[in-house]
């Protein structure tokens, strides 16, 4: 394998599978955001605003995919929360839906039938679970059991005080 | 511990924790901003304390506020502090805050390097975990450079499986930021592909797949390894990645495609995971140039299942993938039209739009009517203006596109290139006219709302069509006055010039209609008001910068003023005004029209299909200068009368050498008729189409074509090469094989529509001579030349001129042989010639070139590659040495000397056609382009790389487009004095005058304007709009041609070419 050629400049700016993941409520309130691409706060805000509007404007019976700028948006609504991911053109929409669903299942298992308030008040936990599941936009652990085990062990390391608070 | 709890509750008494903050914000909905600013002040206080627990709590709250959109960049240093806490609880919060708030321009990041390094090598796997997670979010080039080694250590020596997995994933981020690290790291990464732990393995697959997608070339050597993984792995996530990787590799290594097709097909058959199925289908579609038709059919079947599924998502994706297949295998998708049409009823708009897109590509001559009808129903039902607009645009697109198909397929076109109204609408005239008129009127009415956005995306062309339709069919308008008013709004002046021009012209038509409707009315105020409206508004257009608009407007303005005067004298003017615009609209395709059931009540609108004669103005739009008498519309057409007329017309056409027969059947009848056997001519002309594919302008040509084909067929049958031949001859040929496919109807149509010909797609007379070996000239030249002499006089001449210019470098033992076919411009009426079989077995491949010329400066050259040897030909690359004037169009990004890959391979005995686009700047000179074709000849035991040289000959004639011209316009053109003259004299031409004319028409793309005894005027136009006029006279065996053209060089060359044509007979 020769890798003598330097990567073209565009390669540096090329993007990983999942660009970002947003969770927002039916009212358009952002509940969680995870960016796997380096963007400035201003850009992030702009994208979030645009996307939230676009997704909320869609009718309930519509399919979960839309083309937005040069990205594909995959979103799914669970109760009052919208889970919304941006992927690249060649990426697989269905697997992204599966990732979203897997994340919801993890939240559900961890919090015990999760609701929006769980995520609002324990938003750092939601992040920890997400980080345990996805790394840099890629699924790092496909087994639900392993993810939860890892989270529980990490929680054990936390002090009693903290655990009491989060419950 | 107890102390800690106490301490914690004390903390809690003084500080708000995250939950309190969230609750507080929710309780202060009215003055949220104010509440948060006090919170931020508190947080600032907390950050000043030394207690790390308090700091971590503050940072946690800041992370939340950051999500709500507040700027927290001022606390970056505090975040680093929390990150470096030794307690996991705080470290975790610190890293979370950092991953959410830091980006590349955060300057404190460089302070974190050592901390992160420490955490990466920490014995506690959770410390390593959070560090890796954080790093994945805020890695910068500097961090990547400094930490690459540490991560590599983790990858290779990490004892914890989980850490290994994460670090493999994180490597990708590092490579992105710091590409230099890839080279040393790659071998270790590759090792991980075979890691015993499936998690690590899949992480490595992930990373390499992502890398390979960006730069596939470097990863080809890993293909066997991945192939093994693919056939053994059961993890769908990994499989999807690998399949995606192969999708990126296949274009680089076509052999992979063949190998992959089997496992992919197996997966498609066996998998129950939709995501995997979808990925497989997509990959097969993307790589289908190397896949079999069978697999495409399988994909379409699977997609059908997806589309039929009740799940909207699967439906959507199914349609999406379908549209990808449609581009390459339209036939296989078209058979699922029913399903796609069903999707139009879906409640999901995005699915409907996808289906619409698909329909656009699926329209064929047969189903056009049905689809448009169905769409029209939907326009009716459509709620939501965007969707309705989209529907309307699509309908127009579909129609005009299909008309474009007509043009290429049937060599059909409209006679006046200046009026390219979206002709599609006229296709659906008969069914939707009234509806369309109403729709268009609405559209015009609302145009002012839409123009802004319309101009941007080019939908304003719709207005062009709308205006024309409303004008032309103003009798169907409910309220013509209102539409007229809409068309004359000042806003219209912002539209592009060509649209304004149509507006003005059609405003006049509407004006006429309004007058007509007011005729019987005793109260003439409305009529007079309308005149006044015209007089008021038209000056706006008279001032237009666009010449056409100005001209039309001022002309009409004067007319209206005159009418107004007459009105004031109470003169009835409506009849006369109407007469200005009277005249039937030419039917698009009489056959097509016949196929449509005529709705009741519209019979009167339908002109008898063959009633159009050649000299009729096809469109009323430009008939203004010479008002014709209003022709009464046929209210009731008597069957007998119709039959009688038809008979008379046929008779007339039969005697008219410039009329092409209506249908193949009538051709045959004609052929059998005794008086018309021009056998000697037939023999001479037989060869001609070989050279100059062009419009068959007379029935003689059609007839000889027919004869020749029959001969050919007989010959072919004998040699049992029928199959190959059909393939080669393409569409045109199919018409012999009985009516089974859609194209079968084409020839009939083509001849039907001859009344108005404006061949948009013209042929370049391209002469390519290939011989497949350099020993060709030594071994079989004589037979070759004999053949040329016998069969193709003109051909031969060219060849002689070229004088063995083209030599091939290839070595083959056997004899070689030439073979030429030409299809004419449209491509459907294949004027094949020289289907000459020689005794010798054919060696490698024979090539034919067809050229198509479209507007302006583009030339499309079609090359038929035929493999006549027993070996497999692949990796063909077509390259032409560009001249300053003519350039082969290459895909973006490729250099000026790169060849174009021929998108197929050729098994023995197979032929296929490829098209290449050339841009030509100047068309006044003929020219030749040298080119080479390289390819690999693959035998069972060996494969060799071969090269063929050839020449493309662009004659000036090939830039001419047969354009009908009317004698008065012709006279004006000659009077204008802009044209320069030239003349040529041909001696010893021994052929009837009408054959001579036919020959000029055919070979040089002229049309006869007028013929009086032994004198005829002819006209043609170049693709760049040069007029070429000829006056041909004959006396005895001498023919003199006086010619005029606005471009003397072009004229000189055309005359030379004409001379050449005749010097050969």
């Amino acid at each position: 394998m020769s890798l003598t050629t330097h990567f073209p400049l565009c390669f540096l700016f090329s993007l990983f599978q999942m660009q970002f993941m947003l969770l927002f409520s039916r009212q358009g309130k952002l509940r969680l955001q995870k960016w796997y691409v380096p963007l400035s706060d201003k850009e992030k805000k702009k994208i979030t605003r645009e996307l939230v509007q676009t997704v909320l404007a869609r009718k309930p019976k519509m399919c979960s995919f839309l083309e937005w700028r040069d990205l594909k948006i995959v979103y799914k609504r669970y109760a009052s929360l919208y889970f919304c991911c941006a992927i690249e053109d060649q990426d697989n929409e269905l697997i992204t839906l599966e990732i979203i669903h897997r994340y919801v299942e993890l939240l559900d298992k961890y919090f015990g039938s999760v609701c929006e308030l769980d995520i609002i008040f324990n938003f750092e936990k939601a992040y920890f679970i997400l980080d345990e599941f996805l790394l840099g936009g890629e699924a790092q652990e496909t087994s639900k059991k392993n993810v939860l085990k890892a989270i529980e062990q990490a929680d054990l390391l936390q002090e009693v005080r903290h655990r009491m608070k989060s419950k | 511990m107890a102390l800690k709890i106490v301490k914690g509750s004390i903390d809690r008494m003084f500080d708000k924790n995250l939950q309190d903050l969230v609750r507080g914000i929710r309780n202060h909905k009215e003055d949220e901003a104010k509440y948060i600013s006090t919170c931020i002040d508190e947080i600032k206080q907390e950050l000043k304390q030394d207690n790390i627990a308090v700091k971590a709590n503050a940072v946690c709250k800041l992370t939340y506020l950051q999500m709500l959109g507040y700027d927290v960049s001022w606390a970056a240093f505090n975040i680093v502090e929390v990150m470096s806490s030794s307690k996991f609880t705080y470290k975790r919060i610190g890293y979370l805050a950092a991953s959410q708030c830091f980006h590349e321009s955060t300057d404190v990041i460089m302070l974190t390097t050592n901390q992160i390094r420490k955490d990466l090598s920490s014995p506690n796997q959770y410390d390593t975990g959070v560090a890796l997670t954080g790093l994945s979010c805020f890695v910068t080039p500097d961090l990547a450079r400094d930490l690459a080694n540490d991560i590599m250590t983790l990858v290779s020596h990490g004892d914890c499986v989980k850490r290994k997995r994460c670090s493999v994933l994180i490597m990708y981020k590092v490579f992105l930021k710091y590409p230099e690290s890839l080279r040393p790291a790659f071998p270790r990464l590759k090792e991980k592909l075979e890691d015993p732990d499936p998690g690590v393995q899949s992480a490595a697959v992930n990373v390499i797949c992502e890398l390979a997608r960006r730069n596939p070339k470097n990863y080809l050597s890993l293909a066997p390894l991945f192939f093994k993984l693919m056939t053994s792995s059961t993890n769908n996530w990994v499989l999807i990645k690998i399949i995606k990787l192969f999708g990126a590799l296949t274009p680089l290594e076509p052999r992979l495609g063949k190998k992959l097709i089997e496992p992919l097909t197996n997966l498609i058959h066996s998998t129950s995971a939709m995501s995997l199925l979808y990925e497989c289908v997509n990959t097969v579609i993307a790589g289908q140039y190397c896949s079999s038709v069978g697999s495409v059919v399988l994909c379409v079947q699977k997609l059908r299942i997806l589309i039929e599924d009740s799940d909207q998502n699967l439906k959507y994706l199914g349609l999406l993938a379908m549209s990808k297949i449609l581009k390459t295998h339209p036939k296989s998708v078209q058979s699922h039209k029913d399903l796609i049409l069903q999707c139009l009823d879906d409640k999901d708009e995005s699915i409907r739009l996808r289906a619409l897109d698909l329909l656009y590509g699926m329209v064929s001559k047969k189903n056009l009517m049905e689809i448009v009808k169905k769409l029209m129903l939907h326009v009716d039902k459509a709620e939501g203006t965007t969707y309705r607009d989209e529907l309307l645009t699509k309908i127009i697109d579909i129609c005009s596109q299909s008309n474009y198909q007509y043009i290429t397929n049937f060599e059909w076109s409209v006679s006046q290139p200046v009026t390219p109204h979206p002709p599609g609408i006229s296709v659906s005239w008969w069914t939707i006219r009234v509806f369309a008129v109403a729709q268009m009127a609405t559209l015009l009415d609302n145009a002012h709302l839409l123009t802004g956005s319309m101009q941007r995306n080019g939908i304003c062309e719709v207005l062009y069509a709308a205006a024309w339709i409303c004008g032309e069919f103003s009798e169907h308008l409910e309220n013509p006055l209102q539409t007229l008013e809409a068309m004359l709004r000042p806003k219209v002046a912002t539209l592009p010039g060509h649209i304004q021009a149509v507006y003005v012209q059609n405003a006049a038509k509407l004006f006429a209609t309004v007058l007509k409707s007011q005729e019987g009315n005793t109260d003439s105020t409305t009529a007079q008001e309308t005149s006044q409206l015209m007089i008021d508004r038209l000056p706006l257009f008279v001032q237009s910068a666009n010449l056409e608009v100005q001209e039309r407007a001022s002309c009409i303005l004067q007319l209206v003023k005159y009418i107004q005067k007459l009105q004031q004298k109470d003169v009835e003017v409506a009849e006369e005004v109407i007469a200005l615009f009277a005249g039937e609209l030419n039917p698009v395709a009489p056959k097509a029209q016949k196929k449509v059931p005529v709705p009741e009540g519209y019979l009167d609108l339908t002109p008898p299909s063959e009633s159009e004669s050649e000299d009729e103005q096809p469109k009323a739009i430009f008939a203004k200068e010479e008002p014709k008498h209003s022709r009464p519309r046929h209210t009731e057409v008597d069957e007998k009368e119709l039959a009688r007329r038809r008979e008379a017309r046929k008779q007339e056409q039969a005697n008219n050498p410039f009329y092409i027969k209506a249908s193949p059947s009538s051709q045959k009848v004609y052929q059998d008729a005794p008086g018309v056997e021009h056998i000697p001519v037939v023999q001479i002309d037989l060869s001609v189409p070989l050279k100059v594919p062009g419009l068959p302008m007379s029935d003689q040509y059609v007839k000889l074509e027919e004869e020749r084909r029959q001969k050919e067929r007989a010959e072919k049958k004998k040699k049992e090469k029928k199959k190959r031949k059909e393939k080669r001859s393409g569409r045109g040929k199919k018409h012999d094989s009985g009516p089974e496919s859609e194209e079968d109807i084409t020839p009939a149509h083509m001849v039907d529509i001859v009344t108005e010909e404006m061949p948009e797609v013209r042929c370049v007379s391209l002469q390519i001579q290939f011989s497949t070996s350099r020993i060709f000239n030594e071994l079989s030249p004589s037979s070759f030349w004999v053949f040329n002499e016998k069969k193709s006089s003109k051909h031969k001449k060219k060849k002689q001129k070229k004088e063995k210019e083209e030599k091939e470098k290839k070595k083959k033992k056997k004899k070689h042989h030439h073979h030429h076919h030409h299809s004419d411009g449209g491509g459907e009426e294949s004027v094949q010639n020289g289907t000459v079989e020689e005794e010798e077995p054919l060696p490698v491949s024979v090539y034919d070139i067809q050229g198509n010329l479209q507007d302006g400066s583009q030339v499309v050259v079609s090359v038929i590659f035929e493999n006549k040897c027993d070996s497999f030909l692949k990796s063909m690359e077509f390259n032409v040495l560009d001249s300053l004037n003519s350039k082969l169009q290459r895909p973006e990004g490729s250099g000026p000397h790169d060849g174009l890959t021929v998108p197929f391979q050729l098994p023995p005995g197979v032929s296929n056609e490829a098209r290449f686009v050339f841009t030509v700047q100047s068309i006044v000179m003929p020219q030749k382009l040298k080119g080479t074709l390289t390819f690999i000849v693959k035998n069972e035991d060996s494969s060799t790389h071969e090269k063929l040289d050839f020449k493309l000959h662009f004659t000036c004639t090939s830039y001419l487009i047969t354009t009908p011209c009317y004698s008065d316009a012709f006279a004006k053109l000659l009077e204008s004095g802009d044209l320069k003259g030239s003349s040529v004299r041909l001696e010893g031409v021994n052929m009837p005058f009408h054959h001579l004319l036919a020959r000029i028409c055919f070979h040089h793309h002229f049309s006869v304007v007028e013929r009086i005894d032994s004198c005829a005027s002819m006209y043609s136009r170049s693709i760049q709009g040069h007029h070429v006029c000829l006056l041909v006279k004959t006396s005895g065996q001498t023919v003199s041609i006086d010619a005029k053209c606005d471009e003397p060089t072009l004229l000189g060359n055309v005359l030379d070419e004409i001379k050449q044509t005749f010097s050969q007979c």
Side-chain angles (χ1 to χ4, degrees), chain B residues 134-299:
Chain B
L135 202 54
S136 77
C137 291
F138 56 77
V139 62
T140 63
D142 285 345
L143 278 180
R145 189 193 57 226
D146 296 341
L147 296 171
N149 265 331
D150 302 82
I151 295 169
M152 282 316 299
T153 320
L154 277 179
V155 169
S156 41
H157 305 299
D159 44 347
C160 166
V161 169
K162 185 174 167 296
R163 254 190 295 179
K164 239 197 227 172
R165 197 184 307 154
C166 296
S167 45
V168 170
L169 278 179
I170 206 82
M171 272 168 72
Y172 179 70
K173 290 271 171 184
V174 174
F175 296 153
L176 286 187
K177 298 287 175 194
Y178 181 59
E180 285 82 0
S181 64
L182 177 55
R183 235 172 125 187
F186 195 78
R188 285 193 224 168
L189 189 59
K190 200 175 142 191
E191 261 167 39
K192 297 295 157 207
L193 280 179
E194 288 168 302
D195 198 275
D197 176 68
V200 177
Q201 195 190 35
S202 77
V205 169
N206 249 341
V207 172
I208 292 183
C209 286
E210 288 302 323
L211 286 172
R213 269 167 71 187
R214 317 290 169 188
N215 190 7
K217 227 169 45 209
N218 291 343
Y219 300 88
L220 261 179
S221 65
L222 290 180
L225 189 57
F226 276 108
F227 194 79
K228 206 178 88 194
L229 277 176
M230 179 172 136
T231 39
S232 60
S233 175
T234 51
N235 182 334
N236 286 346
W237 304 53
V238 173
L239 276 176
I240 287 178
K241 279 283 167 191
I242 296 178
I243 290 168
K244 196 160 271 163
L245 169 81
F246 278 126
L249 293 184
T250 328
L252 300 173
E253 179 47 90
R255 276 176 301 177
L256 262 179
K258 259 192 225 148
K259 251 197 124 176
L260 280 172
I261 222 42
E262 197 204 325
L264 280 182
T265 322
N266 287 345
L267 277 176
I268 292 177
H269 273 300
S270 62
T271 185
S272 58
M274 281 302 173
S275 49
L276 182 59
L277 171 70
Y278 181 62
E279 194 63 53
C280 291
V281 169
N282 256 338
T283 308
V284 172
I285 295 168
Q288 64 191 206
Y289 48 87
C290 52
S291 67
S292 60
V293 180
S295 58
V296 173
V297 170
L298 175 69
C299 288

Side-chain angles (χ1 to χ4, degrees), chain A residues 1 15 63-64 132 141 153, chain B residues 126 165 214 218 313 348:
Chain A
M1 168 71 32
L15 311 159
C63 69
S64 301
E132 200 61 44
E141 176 58 77
Q153 278 171 352
Chain B
Y126 295 100
R165 197 184 307 154
R214 317 290 169 188
N218 291 343
N313 294 333
D348 182 349

Side-chain angles (χ1 to χ4, degrees), chain A residues 59-165:
Chain A
K59 297 191 184 68
K61 289 285 178 192
M62 285 181 138
C63 69
S64 301
F65 315 121
L66 58 123
E67 275 160 25
W68 181 81
R69 297 192 186 173
D70 51 347
L71 296 175
K72 292 196 282 199
I73 305 296
V74 178
Y75 73 93
K76 194 159 167 75
R77 187 180 154 179
Y78 288 90
S80 59
L81 268 187
Y82 283 89
F83 290 69
C84 174
C85 294
I87 53 173
E88 279 188 272
D89 186 46
Q90 320 102 301
D91 288 323
N92 191 317
E93 294 96 332
L94 290 172
I95 204 80
T96 313
L97 262 190
E98 274 178 47
I99 288 179
I100 292 179
H101 187 72
R102 182 62 61 88
Y103 180 48
V104 175
E105 281 179 332
L106 287 170
L107 290 174
D108 209 48
K109 275 258 165 61
Y110 184 81
F111 290 106
S113 74
V114 66
C115 67
E116 194 184 339
L117 282 181
D118 286 323
I119 294 174
I120 297 173
F121 284 103
N122 301 288
F123 92 115
E124 85 278 19
K125 292 284 176 202
Y127 276 120
F128 293 151
I129 297 171
L130 185 62
D131 287 341
E132 200 61 44
F133 174 49
L134 294 179
L135 186 86
E138 284 292 333
Q140 56 155 310
E141 176 58 77
T142 49
S143 147
K144 258 184 281 180
K145 221 169 70 189
N146 289 348
V147 175
L148 289 174
K149 212 166 81 190
I151 289 285
E152 273 159 27
Q153 278 171 352
D155 281 348
L156 271 180
L157 277 176
Q158 296 207 2
E159 285 163 291
V160 185
R161 179 190 79 143
H162 216 90
R163 258 199 295 164
M164 283 174 65
K165 271 188 190 173

